[in-house]
C-alpha cells in the first residue's frame, strides 16, 4: 500500500453535484430546487456525503410513497445520513492527527450563530477542558485543517468555519470536548 498511487478526492462543482443528485433517480424522483440547494449547503458538494444523503432520501421517500423531494425531506434525513455514514466518517476522523481532532471538536463547541469560531474561543474551550496542545500544534493544526478542506478561514476576527455542515454535526454528536 505504501507504493500505491493516491489521488485526493476533492469537492464536486455545484453543477456536477446537481447532476449526481438528479441523474441517478431521473424519472423516479423530482427534486425541488430548494431541496437541492439544501443538500449542497449541508454536504458542500462532497461526493461521498452527497451520495450518502441522497441514499437516505430515496429510502425515506420510498417509505412515504412520495416522488417529490422537499427541503423538509432533506432536513428529515440528515441525522439518518450521519448515522448510516458513521463508519465512513469515523474512518476520516481516525486519519487525522490528534491535535487536529481536538481543534475540530473545539470549533464545534464554540461556533457562533454564523458558524464561526474565533481562535480565542477555540483556545478557551481547550483550556476549559484541560486540553493542552503545544504552541506549534495549536498554530499549525487549524491551518492544516484549512489546507485539507475541513475548515475555512473567515475574515471575521481571524475565525474558522466548517466547510461541510454534515461533518460539523457528526463531530458535535460523536466527538464533543465533553
Amino acid at each position: 500500500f505504501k507504493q500505491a498511487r493516491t489521488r485526493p478526492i476533492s469537492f464536486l462543482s455545484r453543477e456536477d453535484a446537481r447532476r449526481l443528485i438528479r441523474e441517478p433517480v431521473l424519472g423516479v424522483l423530482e427534486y425541488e430546487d430548494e431541496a437541492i440547494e439544501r443538500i449542497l449547503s449541508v454536504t458542500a458538494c462532497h461526493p461521498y456525503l452527497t451520495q450518502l444523503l441522497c441514499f437516505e432520501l430515496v429510502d425515506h421517500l420510498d417509505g412515504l410513497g412520495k416522488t417529490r423531494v422537499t427541503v423538509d425531506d432533506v432536513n428529515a434525513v440528515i441525522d439518518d445520513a450521519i448515522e448510516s455514514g458513521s463508519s465512513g466518517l469515523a474512518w476520516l476522523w481516525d486519519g487525522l492527527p490528534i491535535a487536529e481532532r481536538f481543534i475540530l471538536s473545539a470549533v464545534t463547541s464554540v461556533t457562533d450563530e454564523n458558524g464561526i469560531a474565533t481562535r480565542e474561543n477555540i483556545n478557551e474551550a481547550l483550556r476549559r477542558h484541560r486540553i493542552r496542545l503545544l504552541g506549534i500544534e495549536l498554530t499549525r493544526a487549524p491551518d492544516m485543517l484549512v489546507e485539507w478542506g475541513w475548515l475555512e478561514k473567515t475574515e471575521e476576527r481571524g475565525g474558522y468555519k466548517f466547510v461541510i455542515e454534515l461533518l460539523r454535526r457528526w463531530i458535535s454528536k460523536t466527538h464533543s470536548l465533553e
Side-chain angles (χ1 to χ4, degrees):
F1 286 117
K2 289 182 182 181
Q3 295 176 4
R5 289 184 62 192
T6 60
R7 186 176 295 222
I9 298 173
S10 63
F11 298 94
L12 298 172
S13 69
R14 291 181 70 79
E15 192 52 43
D16 286 341
R18 283 185 185 96
R19 281 200 303 274
L20 177 62
I21 293 166
R22 282 190 172 121
E23 287 180 10
V25 293
L26 204 55
V28 177
L29 292 181
E30 182 182 342
Y31 283 87
E32 292 181 355
D33 290 338
E34 295 81 16
I36 289 178
E37 289 306 312
R38 180 68 176 144
I39 293 168
L40 299 179
S41 73
V42 172
T43 66
C45 301
H46 188 283
Y48 168 71
L49 298 174
T50 301
Q51 286 183 310
L52 177 65
L53 196 55
C54 289
F55 175 83
E56 291 300 329
L57 275 167
V58 169
D59 194 45
H60 173 75
L61 290 166
D62 187 47
L64 297 175
K66 290 177 57 179
T67 59
R68 187 167 180 81
V69 183
T70 66
V71 172
D72 290 338
D73 294 317
V74 175
N75 290 331
V77 301
I78 290 173
D79 287 337
D80 295 335
I82 290 170
E83 181 67 30
S84 68
S86 63
S87 61
L89 296 170
W91 181 81
L92 289 171
W93 178 264
D94 291 343
L96 292 173
I98 195 77
E100 282 77 357
R101 293 183 204 179
F102 279 121
I103 295 295
L104 288 171
S105 293
V107 170
T108 63
S109 71
V110 298
T111 52
D112 64 16
E113 66 277 354
N114 297 316
I116 298 170
T118 64
R119 209 177 263 275
E120 302 96 45
N121 291 344
I122 294 167
N123 293 342
E124 175 56 33
L126 294 170
R127 274 193 299 277
R128 192 172 50 248
H129 288 89
R130 295 185 174 95
I131 299 165
R132 292 180 181 225
L133 298 176
L134 299 174
I136 193 146
E137 290 176 318
L138 201 52
T139 303
R140 194 182 122 257
D143 293 332
M144 292 306 298
L145 290 164
V146 168
E147 185 178 317
W148 296 335
W150 288 72
L151 297 178
E152 63 184 345
K153 282 188 178 183
T154 65
E155 298 296 319
E156 187 178 316
R157 299 180 301 169
Y160 295 91
K161 184 176 184 174
F162 267 85
V163 172
I164 305 172
E165 173 63 14
L166 201 66
L167 284 176
R168 188 198 65 76
R169 289 182 185 208
W170 177 77
I171 292 168
S172 180
K173 282 184 172 194
T174 60
H175 297 287
S176 73
L177 287 177
E178 284 75 30

